[in-house]
């Protein structure tokens, strides 16, 4: 029987599949770290800037964690196939702040900040859900349990940060702009998540030598999730609720390490 638990366990137990999975994850985190680092340097709001920097530092930490998991098994990262690059596929659709914009030393406008926060609110929803799933599967695992719990907690903090900051901007009169960017981003994200998921499953199928019927069943599952998200599921990415974790990225950076 196919399940998330059995699928992730199969990937974990095979060195080549685990190496590909962690390499894809590490590259996405590294990109997120760079983006947030640049945004923090370009944000004029001196209250917001350190929170964005903290977001970027967390993403950098996550990249190091995935690389450390590989190192523990004596594995090296591999090149990430272009079709599995979630971050760059979103950018090519004009979602979020383009890397070309972030490389310019020009302060971000208020709408740029809204674009950043809307993009983060949607993508962090996905990250939070994915890490909660991994925590259910591997939270008690002796080798990777602590890593997935740590990353999951950080992703929940990032999501709380986005909700709180967008609600603050909505109260300042930017509600319509925020909603427009959230809806545009959510619709693009669910398409991108479908395409990247199909690509990852295809690559895993080759690595793990899945029979055609298994690959077809997994692809059908990805498409059924997409159909649900098109019909109704995308709304969970565009709603805004004051989080229980207020000022989630404020205060001192926790001195957590993972080795």
């Amino acid at each position: 029987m196919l399940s998330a638990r059995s699928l992730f366990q199969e990937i974990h137990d095979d060195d080549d599949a685990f190496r590909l999975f962690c390499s894809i994850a590490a590259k996405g985190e590294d990109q997120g770290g760079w983006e947030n680092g640049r945004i923090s340097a370009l944000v004029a709001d001196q209250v917001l800037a350190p929170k964005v920097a903290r977001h970027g530092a967390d993403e950098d930490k996550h990249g190091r964690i995935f690389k450390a998991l590989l190192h523990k098994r004596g594995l090296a990262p591999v090149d990430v196939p272009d079709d599995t690059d979630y971050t760059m596929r979103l950018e090519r659709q004009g979602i979020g702040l383009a890397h070309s914009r972030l490389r310019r030393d020009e302060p971000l406008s208020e709408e740029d900040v809204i674009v950043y926060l809307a993009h983060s609110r949607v993508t962090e929803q996905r990250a939070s859900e994915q890490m909660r799933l991994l925590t259910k599967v591997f939270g008690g695992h002796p080798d990777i349990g602590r890593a997935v719990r740590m990353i999951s907690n950080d992703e929940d903090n990032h999501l709380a940060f986005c909700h709180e900051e967008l609600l603050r901007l909505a109260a300042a009169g930017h509600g319509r702009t925020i909603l427009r960017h959230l809806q545009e981003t959510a619709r693009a994200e669910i398409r991108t998540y479908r395409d990247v998921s199909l690509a990852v499953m295809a690559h895993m199928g080759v690595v793990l030598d899945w029979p055609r019927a298994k690959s077809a069943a997994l692809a059908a599952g990805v498409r059924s999730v997409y159909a649900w998200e098109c019909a109704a599921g995308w709304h969970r990415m565009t709603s805004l609720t004051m989080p229980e974790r207020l000022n989630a990225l404020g205060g001192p950076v926790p001195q957590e390490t993972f080795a």
Side-chain angles (χ1 to χ4, degrees):
M1 178 180 176
L2 293 176
S3 67
R5 182 177 295 276
S6 64
L7 176 62
F8 283 125
Q9 192 66 57
E10 185 178 4
I11 291 170
H12 172 270
D13 291 346
D14 182 273
D15 280 351
D16 289 336
F18 187 70
R19 181 165 59 172
L20 177 59
F21 178 86
C22 288
S23 298
I24 292 170
K27 183 176 182 182
E29 299 288 359
D30 287 345
Q31 288 174 341
W34 180 84
E35 290 169 3
N36 279 277
R38 287 299 301 154
I39 290 166
S40 70
L42 301 175
V43 167
D45 185 335
Q46 293 306 299
V47 175
L48 181 62
K51 297 179 182 180
V52 179
R54 165 77 178 277
H55 189 176
D58 285 347
E59 303 286 7
D60 286 337
K61 177 181 70 177
H62 300 168
R64 293 193 300 272
I65 288 173
F66 283 113
K67 291 168 191 170
L69 291 175
L70 288 176
H71 180 72
K72 280 189 171 185
R73 282 176 55 166
L75 303 172
V78 294
D79 291 337
V80 173
D82 286 344
D83 56 358
T84 67
D85 194 327
Y86 171 86
T87 303
M88 295 311 298
R89 289 183 75 143
L90 281 172
E91 182 180 346
R92 284 194 287 268
Q93 297 174 68
I95 299 301
L97 295 174
H99 284 191
S100 59
R101 171 66 182 89
L102 296 180
R103 290 189 182 97
R104 300 201 304 269
D105 290 322
E106 299 173 8
L108 298 179
S109 67
E110 198 160 44
E111 182 152 2
D112 287 334
V113 172
I114 290 171
V115 168
Y116 154 67
L117 288 169
H119 172 267
S120 295
R121 187 263 175 270
V122 171
T123 56
E124 292 296 342
Q125 178 78 37
R126 183 74 70 185
S128 176
E129 292 170 355
Q130 290 290 293
M131 289 313 304
R132 288 186 183 192
L133 176 58
L134 281 176
T135 299
K136 286 182 180 179
V137 175
F138 292 117
H141 194 281
D143 293 328
I144 65 175
R146 181 166 171 262
V148 297
R149 292 194 307 270
M150 184 185 296
I151 296 173
S152 182
N153 182 68
D154 288 345
E155 302 297 9
D156 288 347
N157 282 339
H158 300 165
L159 186 56
F161 157 71
C162 296
H163 275 271
E164 186 175 3
E165 294 301 326
L166 285 169
L167 284 169
R168 179 179 61 80
L169 288 166
H174 299 287
R176 288 182 180 273
T177 302
I178 290 169
L179 181 60
R180 173 167 55 85
H181 284 296
L182 284 172
Q183 291 178 341
E184 176 185 342
T185 304
R187 291 189 177 105
E189 195 281 340
I190 64 172
R191 290 194 304 271
T192 302
Y193 180 71
R194 173 201 62 190
D195 294 343
V196 168
S197 296
L198 289 171
V200 170
M201 289 300 102
H203 287 286
M204 289 296 177
V206 172
V207 170
L208 294 168
D209 195 25
W210 284 338
R212 184 175 300 177
K214 181 172 182 175
S215 293
L218 289 168
V222 170
R223 292 190 177 96
S224 68
V225 169
Y226 174 68
W228 171 75
E229 291 194 325
C230 281
W234 66 274
H235 292 289
R236 77 191 190 285
M237 296 180 165
T238 60
S239 62
L240 293 175
T241 306
M242 189 58 71
E244 293 182 8
R245 301 184 185 191
L246 296 177
N247 197 30
L249 297 185
V253 177
Q255 297 302 307
E256 295 177 299
T257 60
F258 181 85

PDB file of all heavy atoms in Angstrom, residues 6-36:
ATOM      1  N   SER A   6       5.454   5.223   3.860  1.00  0.00           N
ATOM      2  CA  SER A   6       6.210   4.200   3.140  1.00  0.00           C
ATOM      3  C   SER A   6       7.078   4.827   2.052  1.00  0.00           C
ATOM      4  O   SER A   6       8.201   4.375   1.798  1.00  0.00           O
ATOM      5  CB  SER A   6       5.260   3.166   2.527  1.00  0.00           C
ATOM      6  OG  SER A   6       4.425   3.746   1.548  1.00  0.00           O
ATOM      7  N   LEU A   7       6.565   5.886   1.413  1.00  0.00           N
ATOM      8  CA  LEU A   7       7.334   6.549   0.359  1.00  0.00           C
ATOM      9  C   LEU A   7       8.581   7.214   0.930  1.00  0.00           C
ATOM     10  O   LEU A   7       9.697   7.015   0.419  1.00  0.00           O
ATOM     11  CB  LEU A   7       6.454   7.586  -0.338  1.00  0.00           C
ATOM     12  CG  LEU A   7       7.138   8.433  -1.415  1.00  0.00           C
ATOM     13  CD1 LEU A   7       7.627   7.546  -2.553  1.00  0.00           C
ATOM     14  CD2 LEU A   7       6.170   9.488  -1.938  1.00  0.00           C
ATOM     15  N   PHE A   8       8.413   7.989   1.990  1.00  0.00           N
ATOM     16  CA  PHE A   8       9.568   8.661   2.584  1.00  0.00           C
ATOM     17  C   PHE A   8      10.557   7.655   3.182  1.00  0.00           C
ATOM     18  O   PHE A   8      11.765   7.866   3.135  1.00  0.00           O
ATOM     19  CB  PHE A   8       9.121   9.661   3.649  1.00  0.00           C
ATOM     20  CG  PHE A   8       8.571  10.938   3.090  1.00  0.00           C
ATOM     21  CD1 PHE A   8       7.307  11.377   3.442  1.00  0.00           C
ATOM     22  CD2 PHE A   8       9.323  11.713   2.219  1.00  0.00           C
ATOM     23  CE1 PHE A   8       6.793  12.567   2.934  1.00  0.00           C
ATOM     24  CE2 PHE A   8       8.824  12.897   1.699  1.00  0.00           C
ATOM     25  CZ  PHE A   8       7.556  13.327   2.058  1.00  0.00           C
ATOM     26  N   GLN A   9      10.047   6.565   3.726  1.00  0.00           N
ATOM     27  CA  GLN A   9      10.935   5.553   4.282  1.00  0.00           C
ATOM     28  C   GLN A   9      11.759   4.907   3.177  1.00  0.00           C
ATOM     29  O   GLN A   9      12.960   4.645   3.362  1.00  0.00           O
ATOM     30  CB  GLN A   9      10.120   4.487   5.024  1.00  0.00           C
ATOM     31  CG  GLN A   9      10.974   3.561   5.877  1.00  0.00           C
ATOM     32  CD  GLN A   9      11.648   4.270   7.031  1.00  0.00           C
ATOM     33  OE1 GLN A   9      10.981   4.888   7.854  1.00  0.00           O
ATOM     34  NE2 GLN A   9      12.976   4.194   7.091  1.00  0.00           N
ATOM     35  N   GLU A  10      11.135   4.669   2.041  1.00  0.00           N
ATOM     36  CA  GLU A  10      11.859   4.076   0.915  1.00  0.00           C
ATOM     37  C   GLU A  10      12.966   5.012   0.434  1.00  0.00           C
ATOM     38  O   GLU A  10      14.086   4.568   0.137  1.00  0.00           O
ATOM     39  CB  GLU A  10      10.884   3.771  -0.230  1.00  0.00           C
ATOM     40  CG  GLU A  10      11.521   3.047  -1.401  1.00  0.00           C
ATOM     41  CD  GLU A  10      10.533   2.708  -2.494  1.00  0.00           C
ATOM     42  OE1 GLU A  10       9.346   3.102  -2.386  1.00  0.00           O
ATOM     43  OE2 GLU A  10      10.965   2.050  -3.466  1.00  0.00           O
ATOM     44  N   ILE A  11      12.654   6.299   0.353  1.00  0.00           N
ATOM     45  CA  ILE A  11      13.659   7.281  -0.058  1.00  0.00           C
ATOM     46  C   ILE A  11      14.791   7.340   0.967  1.00  0.00           C
ATOM     47  O   ILE A  11      15.975   7.359   0.617  1.00  0.00           O
ATOM     48  CB  ILE A  11      13.004   8.661  -0.242  1.00  0.00           C
ATOM     49  CG1 ILE A  11      12.080   8.640  -1.469  1.00  0.00           C
ATOM     50  CG2 ILE A  11      14.062   9.760  -0.383  1.00  0.00           C
ATOM     51  CD1 ILE A  11      11.198   9.868  -1.605  1.00  0.00           C
ATOM     52  N   HIS A  12      14.431   7.347   2.244  1.00  0.00           N
ATOM     53  CA  HIS A  12      15.438   7.418   3.300  1.00  0.00           C
ATOM     54  C   HIS A  12      16.378   6.220   3.270  1.00  0.00           C
ATOM     55  O   HIS A  12      17.583   6.352   3.521  1.00  0.00           O
ATOM     56  CB  HIS A  12      14.758   7.511   4.667  1.00  0.00           C
ATOM     57  CG  HIS A  12      15.697   7.406   5.830  1.00  0.00           C
ATOM     58  ND1 HIS A  12      16.015   6.194   6.416  1.00  0.00           N
ATOM     59  CD2 HIS A  12      16.419   8.339   6.493  1.00  0.00           C
ATOM     60  CE1 HIS A  12      16.885   6.402   7.392  1.00  0.00           C
ATOM     61  NE2 HIS A  12      17.143   7.689   7.468  1.00  0.00           N
ATOM     62  N   ASP A  13      15.856   5.048   2.965  1.00  0.00           N
ATOM     63  CA  ASP A  13      16.640   3.813   3.077  1.00  0.00           C
ATOM     64  C   ASP A  13      17.578   3.580   1.896  1.00  0.00           C
ATOM     65  O   ASP A  13      18.441   2.696   1.958  1.00  0.00           O
ATOM     66  CB  ASP A  13      15.698   2.610   3.216  1.00  0.00           C
ATOM     67  CG  ASP A  13      14.961   2.608   4.551  1.00  0.00           C
ATOM     68  OD1 ASP A  13      15.352   3.370   5.460  1.00  0.00           O
ATOM     69  OD2 ASP A  13      13.971   1.860   4.671  1.00  0.00           O
ATOM     70  N   ASP A  14      17.432   4.349   0.825  1.00  0.00           N
ATOM     71  CA  ASP A  14      18.285   4.183  -0.347  1.00  0.00           C
ATOM     72  C   ASP A  14      19.246   5.373  -0.430  1.00  0.00           C
ATOM     73  O   ASP A  14      18.821   6.530  -0.456  1.00  0.00           O
ATOM     74  CB  ASP A  14      17.424   4.113  -1.616  1.00  0.00           C
ATOM     75  CG  ASP A  14      18.258   3.888  -2.864  1.00  0.00           C
ATOM     76  OD1 ASP A  14      18.725   4.897  -3.439  1.00  0.00           O
ATOM     77  OD2 ASP A  14      18.446   2.724  -3.255  1.00  0.00           O
ATOM     78  N   ASP A  15      20.534   5.115  -0.485  1.00  0.00           N
ATOM     79  CA  ASP A  15      21.523   6.199  -0.465  1.00  0.00           C
ATOM     80  C   ASP A  15      21.340   7.177  -1.617  1.00  0.00           C
ATOM     81  O   ASP A  15      21.406   8.405  -1.433  1.00  0.00           O
ATOM     82  CB  ASP A  15      22.940   5.627  -0.508  1.00  0.00           C
ATOM     83  CG  ASP A  15      23.421   5.137   0.849  1.00  0.00           C
ATOM     84  OD1 ASP A  15      22.730   5.386   1.853  1.00  0.00           O
ATOM     85  OD2 ASP A  15      24.489   4.494   0.898  1.00  0.00           O
ATOM     86  N   ASP A  16      21.149   6.674  -2.829  1.00  0.00           N
ATOM     87  CA  ASP A  16      21.035   7.565  -3.984  1.00  0.00           C
ATOM     88  C   ASP A  16      19.765   8.415  -3.916  1.00  0.00           C
ATOM     89  O   ASP A  16      19.782   9.615  -4.239  1.00  0.00           O
ATOM     90  CB  ASP A  16      21.052   6.768  -5.285  1.00  0.00           C
ATOM     91  CG  ASP A  16      22.426   6.183  -5.575  1.00  0.00           C
ATOM     92  OD1 ASP A  16      23.424   6.741  -5.068  1.00  0.00           O
ATOM     93  OD2 ASP A  16      22.500   5.176  -6.303  1.00  0.00           O
ATOM     94  N   ALA A  17      18.662   7.801  -3.481  1.00  0.00           N
ATOM     95  CA  ALA A  17      17.415   8.550  -3.364  1.00  0.00           C
ATOM     96  C   ALA A  17      17.506   9.589  -2.243  1.00  0.00           C
ATOM     97  O   ALA A  17      17.060  10.733  -2.391  1.00  0.00           O
ATOM     98  CB  ALA A  17      16.252   7.592  -3.105  1.00  0.00           C
ATOM     99  N   PHE A  18      18.087   9.206  -1.124  1.00  0.00           N
ATOM    100  CA  PHE A  18      18.247  10.126   0.002  1.00  0.00           C
ATOM    101  C   PHE A  18      19.160  11.288  -0.383  1.00  0.00           C
ATOM    102  O   PHE A  18      18.906  12.443  -0.023  1.00  0.00           O
ATOM    103  CB  PHE A  18      18.830   9.363   1.185  1.00  0.00           C
ATOM    104  CG  PHE A  18      18.888  10.156   2.464  1.00  0.00           C
ATOM    105  CD1 PHE A  18      17.727  10.491   3.157  1.00  0.00           C
ATOM    106  CD2 PHE A  18      20.108  10.567   2.978  1.00  0.00           C
ATOM    107  CE1 PHE A  18      17.786  11.210   4.343  1.00  0.00           C
ATOM    108  CE2 PHE A  18      20.184  11.289   4.165  1.00  0.00           C
ATOM    109  CZ  PHE A  18      19.011  11.621   4.846  1.00  0.00           C
ATOM    110  N   ARG A  19      20.201  10.990  -1.136  1.00  0.00           N
ATOM    111  CA  ARG A  19      21.127  12.038  -1.575  1.00  0.00           C
ATOM    112  C   ARG A  19      20.417  13.027  -2.492  1.00  0.00           C
ATOM    113  O   ARG A  19      20.598  14.244  -2.361  1.00  0.00           O
ATOM    114  CB  ARG A  19      22.321  11.404  -2.290  1.00  0.00           C
ATOM    115  CG  ARG A  19      23.351  12.413  -2.748  1.00  0.00           C
ATOM    116  CD  ARG A  19      24.659  11.769  -3.103  1.00  0.00           C
ATOM    117  NE  ARG A  19      24.541  10.783  -4.171  1.00  0.00           N
ATOM    118  CZ  ARG A  19      25.583  10.205  -4.755  1.00  0.00           C
ATOM    119  NH1 ARG A  19      26.812  10.475  -4.340  1.00  0.00           N
ATOM    120  NH2 ARG A  19      25.411   9.338  -5.720  1.00  0.00           N
ATOM    121  N   LEU A  20      19.583  12.539  -3.394  1.00  0.00           N
ATOM    122  CA  LEU A  20      18.847  13.436  -4.276  1.00  0.00           C
ATOM    123  C   LEU A  20      17.843  14.275  -3.481  1.00  0.00           C
ATOM    124  O   LEU A  20      17.750  15.490  -3.672  1.00  0.00           O
ATOM    125  CB  LEU A  20      18.118  12.625  -5.351  1.00  0.00           C
ATOM    126  CG  LEU A  20      17.240  13.430  -6.324  1.00  0.00           C
ATOM    127  CD1 LEU A  20      18.071  14.467  -7.071  1.00  0.00           C
ATOM    128  CD2 LEU A  20      16.527  12.495  -7.301  1.00  0.00           C
ATOM    129  N   PHE A  21      17.110  13.632  -2.566  1.00  0.00           N
ATOM    130  CA  PHE A  21      16.114  14.340  -1.758  1.00  0.00           C
ATOM    131  C   PHE A  21      16.770  15.468  -0.946  1.00  0.00           C
ATOM    132  O   PHE A  21      16.310  16.614  -0.955  1.00  0.00           O
ATOM    133  CB  PHE A  21      15.419  13.352  -0.823  1.00  0.00           C
ATOM    134  CG  PHE A  21      14.406  13.980   0.093  1.00  0.00           C
ATOM    135  CD1 PHE A  21      13.101  14.183  -0.323  1.00  0.00           C
ATOM    136  CD2 PHE A  21      14.761  14.382   1.376  1.00  0.00           C
ATOM    137  CE1 PHE A  21      12.171  14.769   0.525  1.00  0.00           C
ATOM    138  CE2 PHE A  21      13.834  14.966   2.235  1.00  0.00           C
ATOM    139  CZ  PHE A  21      12.530  15.166   1.800  1.00  0.00           C
ATOM    140  N   CYS A  22      17.842  15.157  -0.246  1.00  0.00           N
ATOM    141  CA  CYS A  22      18.501  16.172   0.597  1.00  0.00           C
ATOM    142  C   CYS A  22      19.161  17.253  -0.247  1.00  0.00           C
ATOM    143  O   CYS A  22      19.207  18.421   0.166  1.00  0.00           O
ATOM    144  CB  CYS A  22      19.533  15.509   1.507  1.00  0.00           C
ATOM    145  SG  CYS A  22      18.811  14.541   2.849  1.00  0.00           S
ATOM    146  N   SER A  23      19.661  16.891  -1.414  1.00  0.00           N
ATOM    147  CA  SER A  23      20.282  17.892  -2.297  1.00  0.00           C
ATOM    148  C   SER A  23      19.254  18.891  -2.793  1.00  0.00           C
ATOM    149  O   SER A  23      19.509  20.105  -2.835  1.00  0.00           O
ATOM    150  CB  SER A  23      20.971  17.200  -3.474  1.00  0.00           C
ATOM    151  OG  SER A  23      22.020  16.354  -3.046  1.00  0.00           O
ATOM    152  N   ILE A  24      18.073  18.397  -3.182  1.00  0.00           N
ATOM    153  CA  ILE A  24      17.000  19.284  -3.625  1.00  0.00           C
ATOM    154  C   ILE A  24      16.583  20.211  -2.487  1.00  0.00           C
ATOM    155  O   ILE A  24      16.440  21.430  -2.666  1.00  0.00           O
ATOM    156  CB  ILE A  24      15.799  18.467  -4.135  1.00  0.00           C
ATOM    157  CG1 ILE A  24      16.153  17.740  -5.429  1.00  0.00           C
ATOM    158  CG2 ILE A  24      14.576  19.367  -4.347  1.00  0.00           C
ATOM    159  CD1 ILE A  24      15.111  16.717  -5.878  1.00  0.00           C
ATOM    160  N   ALA A  25      16.410  19.631  -1.295  1.00  0.00           N
ATOM    161  CA  ALA A  25      15.995  20.422  -0.139  1.00  0.00           C
ATOM    162  C   ALA A  25      17.050  21.461   0.220  1.00  0.00           C
ATOM    163  O   ALA A  25      16.738  22.628   0.497  1.00  0.00           O
ATOM    164  CB  ALA A  25      15.717  19.508   1.047  1.00  0.00           C
ATOM    165  N   ALA A  26      18.319  21.070   0.224  1.00  0.00           N
ATOM    166  CA  ALA A  26      19.392  21.994   0.598  1.00  0.00           C
ATOM    167  C   ALA A  26      19.494  23.155  -0.380  1.00  0.00           C
ATOM    168  O   ALA A  26      19.691  24.313   0.032  1.00  0.00           O
ATOM    169  CB  ALA A  26      20.730  21.249   0.668  1.00  0.00           C
ATOM    170  N   LYS A  27      19.351  22.875  -1.663  1.00  0.00           N
ATOM    171  CA  LYS A  27      19.449  23.956  -2.649  1.00  0.00           C
ATOM    172  C   LYS A  27      18.325  24.966  -2.456  1.00  0.00           C
ATOM    173  O   LYS A  27      18.549  26.181  -2.502  1.00  0.00           O
ATOM    174  CB  LYS A  27      19.405  23.394  -4.072  1.00  0.00           C
ATOM    175  CG  LYS A  27      19.577  24.493  -5.116  1.00  0.00           C
ATOM    176  CD  LYS A  27      19.624  23.957  -6.536  1.00  0.00           C
ATOM    177  CE  LYS A  27      19.845  25.101  -7.529  1.00  0.00           C
ATOM    178  NZ  LYS A  27      19.859  24.619  -8.933  1.00  0.00           N
ATOM    179  N   GLY A  28      17.099  24.477  -2.207  1.00  0.00           N
ATOM    180  CA  GLY A  28      15.987  25.388  -1.977  1.00  0.00           C
ATOM    181  C   GLY A  28      16.208  26.248  -0.747  1.00  0.00           C
ATOM    182  O   GLY A  28      15.921  27.458  -0.753  1.00  0.00           O
ATOM    183  N   GLU A  29      16.737  25.645   0.315  1.00  0.00           N
ATOM    184  CA  GLU A  29      16.997  26.413   1.537  1.00  0.00           C
ATOM    185  C   GLU A  29      18.112  27.432   1.314  1.00  0.00           C
ATOM    186  O   GLU A  29      18.043  28.567   1.801  1.00  0.00           O
ATOM    187  CB  GLU A  29      17.357  25.465   2.686  1.00  0.00           C
ATOM    188  CG  GLU A  29      16.280  24.465   3.051  1.00  0.00           C
ATOM    189  CD  GLU A  29      15.078  25.083   3.759  1.00  0.00           C
ATOM    190  OE1 GLU A  29      15.067  26.310   3.999  1.00  0.00           O
ATOM    191  OE2 GLU A  29      14.154  24.324   4.083  1.00  0.00           O
ATOM    192  N   ASP A  30      19.141  27.043   0.595  1.00  0.00           N
ATOM    193  CA  ASP A  30      20.239  27.973   0.311  1.00  0.00           C
ATOM    194  C   ASP A  30      19.741  29.170  -0.492  1.00  0.00           C
ATOM    195  O   ASP A  30      20.135  30.319  -0.231  1.00  0.00           O
ATOM    196  CB  ASP A  30      21.350  27.266  -0.467  1.00  0.00           C
ATOM    197  CG  ASP A  30      22.149  26.294   0.394  1.00  0.00           C
ATOM    198  OD1 ASP A  30      22.039  26.363   1.641  1.00  0.00           O
ATOM    199  OD2 ASP A  30      22.876  25.458  -0.188  1.00  0.00           O
ATOM    200  N   GLN A  31      18.883  28.912  -1.471  1.00  0.00           N
ATOM    201  CA  GLN A  31      18.331  30.013  -2.264  1.00  0.00           C
ATOM    202  C   GLN A  31      17.497  30.940  -1.391  1.00  0.00           C
ATOM    203  O   GLN A  31      17.595  32.161  -1.489  1.00  0.00           O
ATOM    204  CB  GLN A  31      17.483  29.450  -3.412  1.00  0.00           C
ATOM    205  CG  GLN A  31      18.302  28.805  -4.510  1.00  0.00           C
ATOM    206  CD  GLN A  31      17.434  28.123  -5.566  1.00  0.00           C
ATOM    207  OE1 GLN A  31      16.269  27.822  -5.343  1.00  0.00           O
ATOM    208  NE2 GLN A  31      18.016  27.875  -6.719  1.00  0.00           N
ATOM    209  N   GLY A  32      16.675  30.343  -0.521  1.00  0.00           N
ATOM    210  CA  GLY A  32      15.864  31.147   0.381  1.00  0.00           C
ATOM    211  C   GLY A  32      16.715  31.972   1.330  1.00  0.00           C
ATOM    212  O   GLY A  32      16.379  33.124   1.653  1.00  0.00           O
ATOM    213  N   GLY A  33      17.821  31.411   1.783  1.00  0.00           N
ATOM    214  CA  GLY A  33      18.716  32.150   2.661  1.00  0.00           C
ATOM    215  C   GLY A  33      19.312  33.356   1.969  1.00  0.00           C
ATOM    216  O   GLY A  33      19.365  34.457   2.542  1.00  0.00           O
ATOM    217  N   TRP A  34      19.761  33.163   0.728  1.00  0.00           N
ATOM    218  CA  TRP A  34      20.333  34.275  -0.029  1.00  0.00           C
ATOM    219  C   TRP A  34      19.289  35.362  -0.283  1.00  0.00           C
ATOM    220  O   TRP A  34      19.552  36.556  -0.094  1.00  0.00           O
ATOM    221  CB  TRP A  34      20.894  33.780  -1.363  1.00  0.00           C
ATOM    222  CG  TRP A  34      21.487  34.890  -2.178  1.00  0.00           C
ATOM    223  CD1 TRP A  34      22.752  35.409  -2.067  1.00  0.00           C
ATOM    224  CD2 TRP A  34      20.830  35.651  -3.201  1.00  0.00           C
ATOM    225  NE1 TRP A  34      22.911  36.440  -2.962  1.00  0.00           N
ATOM    226  CE2 TRP A  34      21.750  36.613  -3.670  1.00  0.00           C
ATOM    227  CE3 TRP A  34      19.542  35.624  -3.761  1.00  0.00           C
ATOM    228  CZ2 TRP A  34      21.443  37.527  -4.680  1.00  0.00           C
ATOM    229  CZ3 TRP A  34      19.226  36.534  -4.761  1.00  0.00           C
ATOM    230  CH2 TRP A  34      20.165  37.466  -5.222  1.00  0.00           C
ATOM    231  N   GLU A  35      18.095  34.953  -0.695  1.00  0.00           N
ATOM    232  CA  GLU A  35      17.044  35.924  -0.994  1.00  0.00           C
ATOM    233  C   GLU A  35      16.686  36.760   0.232  1.00  0.00           C
ATOM    234  O   GLU A  35      16.607  37.991   0.163  1.00  0.00           O
ATOM    235  CB  GLU A  35      15.795  35.207  -1.521  1.00  0.00           C
ATOM    236  CG  GLU A  35      15.975  34.616  -2.901  1.00  0.00           C
ATOM    237  CD  GLU A  35      14.839  33.682  -3.289  1.00  0.00           C
ATOM    238  OE1 GLU A  35      13.877  33.544  -2.496  1.00  0.00           O
ATOM    239  OE2 GLU A  35      14.925  33.082  -4.376  1.00  0.00           O
ATOM    240  N   ASN A  36      16.478  36.104   1.363  1.00  0.00           N
ATOM    241  CA  ASN A  36      16.113  36.838   2.571  1.00  0.00           C
ATOM    242  C   ASN A  36      17.264  37.721   3.046  1.00  0.00           C
ATOM    243  O   ASN A  36      17.036  38.819   3.569  1.00  0.00           O
ATOM    244  CB  ASN A  36      15.679  35.865   3.667  1.00  0.00           C
ATOM    245  CG  ASN A  36      14.247  35.411   3.509  1.00  0.00           C
ATOM    246  OD1 ASN A  36      13.320  36.089   3.920  1.00  0.00           O
ATOM    247  ND2 ASN A  36      14.060  34.248   2.884  1.00  0.00           N
TER     248      ASN A  36
END
